[in-house]
Amino acid sequence: MTDLPLTDDPRATESLAARYPDLDRLSPHALVQVFADDQLQALQAVQAAVPALTAAVEAARGRLEAGGRLVYAGAGTSGRLGMLDATELTPTFSWPPERAVPLLAGGVRAMREAVEGAEDDTAAGAADVRGAGVGPGDVLIAVAASGTTPYVLAAAAEARAAGALTVGLSNNPGTPLLSAVDCPVLLDTGAEVISGSTRLKAGTAQKIALNILSSALMVTLGKVYGHLMVDLRASNAKLEARALRLVQHATGVPEAEAEVALHAAGGRVKTAIVMLRLGVDAAEAELRLARSGGHARTTLGELE
């Protein structure tokens, strides 16, 4: 069955999903199955966007290596997903929180409640970008399922005018956001099971794409050694145990030796690994890592 537009709106995310006219009559099991099956389209949309995401990673890497920031701009669900991605970079990769700046239409209050009219406020979108001091060294990731959100469009335009690299994620083809940014990423998820509710598979596709984009950037910036999350800094019991396992796995030393190195390294996994692998103290390990831009593999002389 062909999805039908609610009006003459061309955006697929605003169409009626013709397959589910009696959604409210389904049994709980059938209802859960419909939602689970529909979510598969989110992954398919991300798979189709791999070339665009790759281009965004390649374009953004140099600015971040030079000290630039990741700035996220969005409204509603899209903005909340951006804020989540920005927030998780610090505990996962020790990314400085001041270098992950989330801009959410309506401000922090909009994380928990709808702020009426915030997504339509173009002046606020531009002002928030100016207020964050976005400039040529930064990367702005603009996220809008519709691809037409005024706040997001204004933020992207302001950031681009300031010389920042702009990346745009939209769930509709041919939308203004994809034309307004340097690196457009289309996540074509189509009509939603609950018509117009883009917190469903459109939001899922955005979450996956943001995870991929930021994680790939962190790997290229030396935040991972092999497949190990070595920029972890242990700050509680769970993370201390995880850090110990990572150091042991990377070095092959006994638990007691790994624990001593981690303590001397102030809980920094990557520092402890370099200490143990090269037989140096914490200060020397930090110095060598700094010289290699924080890349453990380079520090250890493992690159060809």
Side-chain angles (χ1 to χ4, degrees):
M1 300 177 70
T2 303
D3 294 331
L4 304 172
L6 288 172
T7 62
D8 58 356
D9 193 327
R11 294 172 297 179
T13 54
E14 302 303 319
S15 297
L16 291 167
R19 290 172 293 168
Y20 312 113
D22 297 314
L23 189 70
D24 58 344
R25 295 184 179 182
L26 297 180
S27 69
H29 174 77
L31 189 59
V32 169
Q33 190 66 60
V34 163
F35 281 121
D37 290 344
D38 196 58
Q39 288 291 316
L40 292 175
Q41 293 183 42
L43 182 56
Q44 292 166 358
V46 175
Q47 291 280 15
V50 164
L53 288 167
T54 302
V57 170
E58 291 173 340
R61 177 181 178 178
R63 300 195 190 212
L64 298 181
E65 283 180 330
R69 301 174 299 167
L70 282 170
V71 183
Y72 299 75
T77 297
S78 299
R80 296 180 190 107
L81 289 171
M83 183 167 283
L84 177 63
D85 200 70
T87 302
E88 289 181 340
L89 291 179
T90 298
T92 307
F93 299 109
S94 294
W95 187 252
E98 65 273 14
R99 293 183 65 193
V101 182
L103 304 178
L104 175 62
V108 175
R109 181 165 67 94
M111 280 295 291
R112 291 285 296 162
E113 60 183 273
V115 178
E116 296 299 330
E119 71 173 48
D120 297 324
D121 194 339
T122 57
D128 284 353
V129 168
R130 289 194 300 271
V134 174
D138 297 324
V139 178
L140 179 121
I141 304 173
V143 191
S146 67
T148 59
T149 307
Y151 174 92
V152 178
L153 290 173
E158 188 71 22
R160 199 173 188 186
L165 178 75
T166 53
V167 179
L169 275 59
S170 171
N171 296 87
N172 288 300
T175 48
L177 179 59
L178 297 179
S179 300
V181 296
D182 302 298
C183 299
V185 179
L186 170 62
L187 303 168
D188 194 358
T189 45
E192 297 284 2
V193 171
I194 298 177
S195 297
S197 179
T198 51
R199 65 176 290 270
L200 298 174
K201 65 172 177 280
T204 300
Q206 291 174 359
K207 170 61 174 166
I208 297 172
L210 287 169
N211 270 350
I212 291 171
L213 182 57
S214 60
S215 297
L217 281 167
M218 294 299 111
V219 173
T220 66
L221 294 171
K223 300 293 184 178
V224 173
Y225 172 54
H227 61 289
L228 305 179
M229 193 175 74
V230 294
D231 249 334
L232 165 73
R233 183 167 183 172
S235 57
N236 58 41
K238 179 186 73 174
L239 292 178
E240 286 172 359
R242 184 179 298 168
L244 192 60
R245 291 194 300 271
L246 289 169
V247 172
Q248 285 187 268
H249 183 84
T251 63
V253 303
E255 180 178 328
E257 190 174 346
E259 194 168 11
V260 169
L262 261 177
H263 178 75
R268 292 183 290 275
V269 171
K270 188 159 56 177
T271 302
I273 291 171
V274 172
M275 289 170 61
L276 290 166
R277 291 283 296 274
L278 297 183
V280 299
D281 63 18
E284 179 65 18
E286 290 282 354
L287 180 61
R288 295 192 187 193
L289 281 166
R291 287 172 178 167
S292 68
H295 291 260
R297 198 174 290 281
T298 303
T299 304
L300 296 171
E302 295 178 353
L303 290 180
E304 295 180 359

